[in-house]
Amino acid sequence: MTYDLIIIGAGPGGYVCAIRASQLGQKVVIIDKEWLGGVCLNVGCIPSKSLLRNADIAHTLRHRGKEFGFSFENLKLDYGAAVKRSRQVSNRLVKGVEFLMKKNKIDVVMGTAMLKSPTSVEVTAQDGSKKTLEAKNIVVATGASVAVPPMFNVDGKKVVTYREAILQETLPASAVVVGASAIGCEFATVWNSYGTDVTLVEMLPRIVPMEDEEVSKELAKEFAKNGIKVKAGTKTEAIEVAGEKVKVKLSDGNTLEVDQVLVATGIKPNSKNLGLESVGVKLSERGFIEIDDGMRTNVPNIFAIGDVTGKLALAHVGSAQGIVCAETIAKHETVTLDYAMMPRATYCYPQVASFGYTEAQAKEKGYEIKVAKFNFMANGKALGLGDYAGWIKIISDAKYGEILGAHLIGPEVTELLPEFTLAHNMELTAEEIARNVHAHPSLSEVIMEAAHGLTEGGYIHL
């Protein structure tokens, strides 16, 4: 069968690209070997946020009942019920994607794809049957998978990745989480909230190592308050299953004995066994597909989006790339994505959100900067919520007032971030954010207060 566009991979990049392409008049087919919605909807972003909501309630019931006036005897927390709820949330959204494919007249083919030429793809179904699809253009949106050091011997039971961890309905009494980026910090939060004794190990000098240094320090402090043991600057040298326990040897000389280990050490692109090399698509040394601003590879008619490109492994970035890709193919007006200024979010407790340059990065770029920070402790809404750890920091160019970055840690900061990215895109200054009237009482007032700190008059409530 012949199409205008074949998309390989139905995650947040692929299915969004398919919808936009269909809107622009393209005849589209999307292929996936496992599921619609990809890792994000099925075993990633969506079910983990459901579990984190349960964890928030569990933490409140276990540790803050007296503060909020709750009292009960024999509190029982059913983690299996939390997992079942997370599956219901995922399934609902996957069905939503199925509906969107039908609504936009996009054909869906389940099976394993192999590029046969720059315009043809062979699909092998689970029963072994094969069919060939032809198209003017092909988009590779196959995502990425867990990169596990071979000596860690993941068995899916005692030593697990996020895929096993997000589906298991029981929790270990004790655990080591190896890797303190978003996945590691989020699972540490969930498990700790339900009473698991968690040790978080990070090889780099600080947790959430891609964030501003002050954010890392603040998060480590809050984790420690909640009972999560943090070992940054510590390498995991060996993981060995010993009967019912797992022994984790660390570079600081300690060997921890726990019930389960979660390996969250990074990703690798799903670029193998696709036929990319046979059609001449250029890959980086690590196997990521190289693309230009229009998502084009070096081979005419072949494009790539999402985690497989190695640009920024975030679902919303893949979706944005998908829209740009579809518009490029349709020769429609589009935009150029600035990956340095993309929003980033980690849904641990407290939440972390950011965009743009850290202080160190802005200085390295040669900017003379101004920095302002305002604490949630001084915010009425945060105090009312009983959730007031953290702050918001804004970095601006001292000469022109351009907002170069924002770094947030605290209650629901992932929901506050879009004001900053929109302001940056519209070339607004801190003065204009400060003058924008924010509803009272609201968490967003912390944005306004921090912005005031960069104006001539200075902070209002500090």
Side-chain angles (χ1 to χ4, degrees):
M1 193 173 289
T2 302
Y3 293 88
D4 294 312
L5 182 60
I6 295 171
I7 299 172
I8 305 172
Y15 86 73
V16 169
C17 182
I19 291 169
R20 185 66 182 129
S22 178
Q23 289 173 343
L24 294 171
Q26 303 275 300
K27 185 181 179 184
V28 184
V29 60
I30 192 165
I31 306 164
D32 203 283
K33 65 180 180 181
E34 197 164 11
W35 43 39
L36 287 175
V39 165
C40 179
L41 266 64
N42 289 274
V43 291
C45 331
I46 299 304
S48 65
K49 303 311 158 286
S50 176
L51 291 176
L52 282 157
R53 171 60 174 156
N54 272 74
D56 182 32
I57 296 170
H59 175 82
T60 299
L61 293 175
R62 290 180 64 238
H63 298 292
R64 304 182 69 184
K66 186 176 180 181
E67 175 187 346
F68 285 101
F70 304 138
S71 62
F72 30 70
E73 294 179 3
N74 301 320
L75 173 66
K76 293 181 180 179
L77 301 176
D78 185 351
Y79 184 71
V83 174
K84 286 185 175 69
R85 191 178 79 85
S86 76
R87 300 320 308 159
Q88 290 169 354
V89 171
S90 283
N91 291 338
R92 182 169 182 170
L93 286 175
V94 171
K95 287 177 181 175
V97 175
E98 290 174 1
F99 166 77
L100 289 170
M101 296 300 98
K102 290 176 183 175
K103 177 189 173 185
N104 289 280
K105 298 179 174 57
I106 297 160
D107 288 347
V108 176
V109 175
M110 302 306 293
T112 302
M114 175 69 71
L115 286 161
K116 290 300 180 181
S117 77
T119 57
S120 66
V121 176
E122 183 182 79
V123 184
T124 304
Q126 281 192 337
D127 63 6
S129 62
K130 299 178 186 290
K131 65 172 149 182
T132 299
L133 305 175
E134 302 279 344
K136 297 173 187 174
N137 296 286
I138 296 171
V139 176
V140 180
T142 48
S145 51
V146 184
V148 180
M151 68 276 200
F152 286 178
N153 296 321
V154 169
D155 63 7
K157 294 178 181 178
K158 286 294 184 182
V159 184
V160 299
T161 69
Y162 72 85
R163 288 185 69 138
E164 296 86 20
I166 210 160
L167 295 172
Q168 67 184 23
E169 295 189 14
T170 58
L171 285 182
S174 59
V176 167
V177 177
V178 182
S181 291
I183 291 173
C185 287
E186 289 180 12
F187 272 103
T189 294
V190 172
W191 289 4
N192 166 259
S193 296
Y194 272 87
T196 299
D197 182 2
V198 178
T199 302
L200 184 61
V201 181
E202 171 57 52
M203 180 176 67
L204 295 174
R206 51 193 177 87
I207 63 173
V208 286
M210 302 306 290
E211 299 295 338
D212 189 87
E213 190 169 348
E214 276 195 289
V215 169
S216 297
K217 289 178 181 176
E218 184 77 14
L219 185 60
K221 182 180 77 174
E222 292 301 319
F223 272 4
K225 281 183 186 177
N226 290 322
I228 298 172
K229 304 178 189 74
V230 175
K231 288 182 173 286
T234 306
K235 187 177 179 181
T236 302
E237 295 185 336
I239 298 173
E240 180 186 353
V241 177
E244 292 300 309
K245 294 289 186 179
V246 188
K247 292 183 178 180
V248 183
K249 183 180 178 183
L250 303 177
S251 61
D252 63 5
N254 289 311
T255 297
L256 306 180
E257 194 170 279
V258 294
D259 295 302
Q260 195 170 47
V261 174
L262 169 62
V263 179
T265 48
I267 62 168
K268 60 183 178 182
N270 294 331
S271 57
K272 290 184 177 179
N273 303 317
L274 284 171
L276 292 170
E277 295 88 348
S278 66
V279 297
V281 172
K282 188 176 180 183
L283 306 177
S284 71
E285 286 185 13
R286 294 177 58 199
F288 292 103
I289 300 175
E290 297 187 4
I291 56 169
D292 66 10
D293 289 342
M295 313 301 142
R296 305 174 189 88
T297 70
N298 63 302
V299 177
N301 309 102
I302 298 181
F303 299 73
I305 58 175
D307 292 1
V308 76
T309 68
K311 290 292 187 182
L312 196 56
L314 299 169
H316 50 270
V317 174
S319 295
Q321 288 180 314
I323 292 172
V324 170
C325 183
E327 291 171 344
T328 300
I329 290 168
K331 296 180 171 53
H332 187 277
E333 184 180 352
T334 191
V335 297
T336 299
L337 301 177
D338 185 349
Y339 297 102
M341 295 296 158
M342 287 289 176
R344 304 178 294 270
T346 303
Y347 298 81
C348 50
Y349 181 81
Q351 290 184 6
V352 172
S354 63
F355 98 97
Y357 301 134
T358 64
E359 284 191 61
Q361 289 169 340
K363 289 173 183 174
E364 285 171 10
K365 295 281 183 181
Y367 289 102
E368 182 184 344
I369 62 173
K370 290 176 69 176
V371 179
K373 188 164 76 170
F374 197 86
N375 293 324
F376 281 100
M377 179 73 80
N379 176 261
K381 180 68 180 291
L383 290 171
L385 292 171
D387 189 357
Y388 44 79
W391 35 261
I392 290 177
K393 176 163 73 171
I394 308 174
I395 300 164
S396 72
D397 174 23
K399 187 174 181 181
Y400 297 111
E402 178 190 1
I403 298 170
L404 301 174
H407 305 276
L408 301 76
I409 179 168
E412 297 300 324
V413 292
T414 55
E415 298 292 337
L416 301 180
L417 190 56
E419 182 170 348
F420 284 116
T421 52
L422 182 62
H424 175 81
N425 288 342
M426 296 296 103
E427 299 182 350
L428 302 181
T429 64
E431 172 83 29
E432 288 162 313
I433 290 179
R435 290 291 182 178
N436 179 35
V437 178
H438 290 65
H440 175 77
S442 68
L443 297 173
S444 69
E445 287 178 287
V446 179
I447 294 174
M448 178 181 69
E449 294 285 1
H452 272 297
L454 293 172
T455 65
E456 187 177 335
Y459 298 105
I460 301 296
H461 287 91
L462 184 65

